[in-house]
Amino acid sequence: MIESESVLYRVDRADALLLEATAAPGSEAALDRYIRAVLDDSPGLSMAGESAFRTYGMAMVSALGLVIALLYLTLGAQFESFLLPLPIMATIVLAMAGVGPALCLAGLSLDSGSIMGMVVLFGVVVNNAILLGENSSLCRNRGLTLAQSVYRGASERVRPLVATSLTTLVALLPLCLMPSGAAQKSMSVAMLGGMAASTALTLFVAPVFFARLGADCSAGSRL
């Protein structure tokens, strides 16, 4: 018998216990018969033929897509533009560049916790882009050219954005360093990797998008 760290499993809103049996060479058929006999005598047991993510994966992906669609519609209504939300939401792609590597380095996989972490992450990184766009618009109203206002708007927000991101990263570190059985670990690792990548890339990429589109984020002051 091999013991591992305890993990809390939930299936259909109920606690679950997972048992994995490995047959000795040449005993596969006997083990299969024994497992089926145990399942027949125990109505509360069932065979897990696939992971929970494969079972509920489409629902998770659909929820993620719905969040992105609602976020786009909300930004479009706020700024009264179909184009302006695009450079703002491009920061979501930058954040995703850090989620995958962070999960791989932590030895975790994509599950419901990491999906929830990405949903929270989307709102944070979009807010950072809105702040950059709003500050660029204020500089534009002072009479600066588009390139100057975008550069000045980003440079003036470097320290506030970095300070806010560092505070969030430090707060997530204890959860990320918890034992692998912690239910919040995958969510925290996904948020930490995405926040780090987004902070490092948004300050350089988002201003370029604003300059190329000539975006005016003055409506961001109403957020």
Side-chain angles (χ1 to χ4, degrees):
M1 177 181 296
I2 300 177
E3 297 183 359
S4 60
E5 296 180 357
S6 60
V7 179
L8 177 62
Y9 287 99
R10 301 278 294 179
V11 178
D12 295 331
R13 300 182 182 180
D15 294 336
L17 177 64
L18 299 182
L19 298 176
E20 182 178 0
T22 303
S27 303
E28 291 82 0
L31 177 61
D32 184 66
R33 290 194 301 269
Y34 179 76
I35 291 177
R36 293 187 181 278
V38 172
L39 292 176
D40 294 337
D41 296 337
S42 305
L45 299 180
S46 61
M47 181 77 72
E50 55 185 5
S51 65
F53 181 77
R54 289 185 179 181
T55 304
Y56 304 105
M58 287 304 301
M60 296 179 186
V61 173
S62 299
L64 202 60
L66 181 60
V67 169
I68 294 176
L70 292 176
L71 187 60
Y72 173 79
L73 294 176
T74 302
L75 292 174
Q78 182 66 41
F79 295 110
E80 299 179 355
S81 170
F82 290 107
L83 293 179
L84 188 53
L86 297 180
I88 294 176
M89 295 188 66
T91 56
I92 293 178
V93 181
L94 304 180
M96 293 296 294
V99 174
L103 291 175
C104 291
L105 291 175
L108 300 173
S109 59
L110 194 63
D111 56 9
S112 58
S114 56
I115 293 291
M116 184 62 66
M118 285 190 289
V119 171
V120 178
L121 181 66
F122 291 169
V124 176
V125 299
V126 165
N127 182 65
N128 291 341
I130 292 176
L131 293 177
L132 290 178
E134 179 185 0
N135 204 42
S136 299
S137 295
L138 293 177
C139 295
R140 181 71 167 166
N141 294 335
R142 298 172 191 164
L144 298 179
T145 64
L146 179 60
Q148 290 174 338
S149 62
V150 169
Y151 174 79
R152 181 71 62 82
S155 60
E156 290 179 354
R157 300 300 301 181
V158 169
R159 287 195 296 177
L161 290 183
V162 171
T164 303
S165 300
L166 285 178
T167 303
T168 305
L169 295 177
V170 172
L172 290 172
L173 274 178
L175 292 175
C176 296
L177 297 177
M178 280 185 174
S180 58
Q184 300 87 358
K185 184 171 183 179
S186 60
M187 178 178 66
S188 304
V189 170
M191 292 181 61
L192 186 143
M195 178 67 68
S198 175
T199 303
L201 297 175
T202 298
L203 291 171
F204 300 96
V205 178
V208 175
F209 287 160
F210 289 136
R212 291 295 299 271
L213 293 179
D216 181 9
C217 296
S218 57
S221 59
R222 301 195 299 268
L223 288 179

